[in-house]
Amino acid sequence: MSEIEKLREKLKGLNSEYAKIKTLPPEQRGEFGRDLNAQKQQILSAIAAAEAAEKNEKITPIDVSAPCAPNQPIPTIKRGSKHPLMTELERVISIYSEMGFDIMESRQLDDEFHMFDSLNFPKEHPARDGYDTFRTSEGFIPPAHTSTMQHRALKKYQHRLADGGKIAVAIPGRVFRNEDADATHEHTFYQCEGVFVSKDANMGQLFGILKHFFESYYGQKLNLKTQPGYFPFTEPSAEFLIEKPASLGGKGWLEMGGCGMIHPNVLKAAGINPETYSGFAWGGGIDRLAMLKYGLGDVRYFESGKLDFLEEF
C-alpha cells in the first residue's frame, strides 16, 4: 500500500470517530471535536504534500547538457487559430473596402468632447452618467460606441467635399459599456461605425448600403426594414432590422443597429456647412453578426478565453 493510500485509510478511520461526539458528556464534546479536527488537518496536509511529491517525480527533468539532435523528428505542435471576432472583423472591413469606404480604426480611450460634445449630447444626457459609461480617475472614457470617431472622420476627410467628392468611412473598434453581462449583453464588444457625407446624401442611399452589406456578409438576399429611433447625433433617427438569415430559419426580424441622417450640429462642429452638405451614419455590433452567422446563443463566449470554444474556429 502506498503512502497516500495509508493516509487516506487513516483519514477514513478518523472520520468514523466523529460519530462518538454525541455519546460523550456535553462538557467533553468541544475538546474531543477540536482534537479530531486538528488530526484531520494534519492528515489532509500530509496527503497534499505526498500528492505533490508524487506529481513532481513523474516530471522528467530536462538535461541541459545533452547533445543537440538536429535530425530527430520535430514533435507535433498544435497551432493556434485566429479568434472568430478577428475573422469577422476582417470580413466586415473587406466588404466596406470593396464598396469604396476608407477604414479608420477606433481607439480604446477617449475624451468627453469626442464621446459626447461633438455628437450633440446635451449636458444633462443620462449617458454622461457613470452608471452608463466607464470613466478613468483622470477623466478619460473607454468609448461606449465607435461614434466617438465620427468627428475625427469628418475633420480628416472634409477636404474631399471642397473638391466635389464625398466622405465615406467605416470605423471598426472595441467598445465598453457599464452593464451586467448575460447571454445577450457584454461589457466589452466590437462595433463598426459608418459615416457618409455628400451634397445629396439621403436615407435611400443609407438603406441601399446597409442592404448590400448584409447580403454580402451573409451571402444571400435579405430584406431590410427600419423603425423609429432616437440618437442625439442623427435626425431623423432609426433602428434597422434584417430578415433572419437562412441559417436561423429565415423567419422573423432581427434588430442590428441604429442609423439616421447626421444632425446639423454634428456637421457644424466639424466645420461642414449643413446648408450645403448632408450625411448619414450607422453602427452595429460585430459580435452580433458573428453570433447569427455561427448560431451562437451566448455573446460571453467571445471574451471567455475558453480554448474548447475557440478551437472550434
Side-chain angles (χ1 to χ4, degrees), residues 148-221:
T148 56
M149 294 296 294
Q150 196 172 129
H151 180 79
R152 295 184 177 94
L154 295 174
K155 294 284 286 185
K156 181 176 181 177
Y157 294 107
Q158 65 176 290
H159 66 275
R160 293 182 178 175
L161 299 176
D163 297 334
K166 61 183 181 297
I167 298 173
V169 189
I171 309 164
R174 205 177 193 189
V175 297
F176 310 87
R177 299 278 176 86
N178 189 7
E179 60 180 319
D180 296 329
D182 57 30
T184 58
H185 297 86
E186 181 61 285
H187 54 70
T188 302
F189 55 100
Y190 285 83
Q191 277 190 341
C192 187
E193 183 88 359
V195 180
F196 187 96
V197 179
S198 69
K199 284 189 174 181
D200 60 354
N202 57 69
M203 294 285 274
Q205 294 172 347
L206 166 61
F207 299 148
I209 289 172
L210 290 173
K211 191 173 192 303
H212 178 79
F213 170 80
F214 284 107
E215 289 183 344
S216 298
Y217 183 82
Y218 289 111
Q220 64 178 89
K221 291 292 183 182

Side-chain angles (χ1 to χ4, degrees), residues 248-268:
L248 296 178
K251 294 182 180 180
W253 296 89
L254 297 166
E255 181 187 335
M256 300 303 292
C259 63
M261 299 300 293
I262 298 175
H263 197 287
N265 289 345
V266 176
L267 294 175
K268 288 178 183 178

Side-chain angles (χ1 to χ4, degrees), residues 83-94 96 103-104 106 146 170-175 177 188-194 213-214 217-218 240 255-257 282-294 296 299 302-303:
H83 194 284
L85 283 182
M86 294 301 99
T87 300
E88 301 314 309
L89 181 63
E90 291 176 2
R91 177 60 181 149
V92 168
I93 291 172
S94 174
Y96 281 122
I103 306 299
M104 283 182 69
S106 184
T146 45
I171 309 164
R174 205 177 193 189
V175 297
R177 299 278 176 86
T188 302
F189 55 100
Y190 285 83
Q191 277 190 341
C192 187
E193 183 88 359
F213 170 80
F214 284 107
Y217 183 82
Y218 289 111
F240 58 89
E255 181 187 335
M256 300 303 292
W282 68 97
I286 294 175
D287 301 56
R288 183 172 296 184
L289 290 174
M291 287 179 71
L292 297 180
K293 181 176 181 178
Y294 296 113
L296 301 176
V299 69
F302 293 125
E303 298 285 342

Side-chain angles (χ1 to χ4, degrees), residues 108-112 115-116 126-145 148 174-181 185-189:
Q108 297 190 53
L109 201 61
D110 220 316
D111 54 42
E112 188 90 13
M115 179 72 192
F116 299 116
R128 292 178 183 258
D129 197 310
Y131 288 108
D132 291 306
T133 306
F134 289 119
R135 291 177 184 270
T136 70
S137 58
E138 298 83 3
F140 293 107
I141 301 171
H145 49 209
T148 56
R174 205 177 193 189
V175 297
F176 310 87
R177 299 278 176 86
N178 189 7
E179 60 180 319
D180 296 329
H185 297 86
E186 181 61 285
H187 54 70
T188 302
F189 55 100

Side-chain angles (χ1 to χ4, degrees), residues 62-72:
I62 298 174
D63 184 1
V64 296
S65 64
C68 177
N71 295 323
Q72 290 294 321

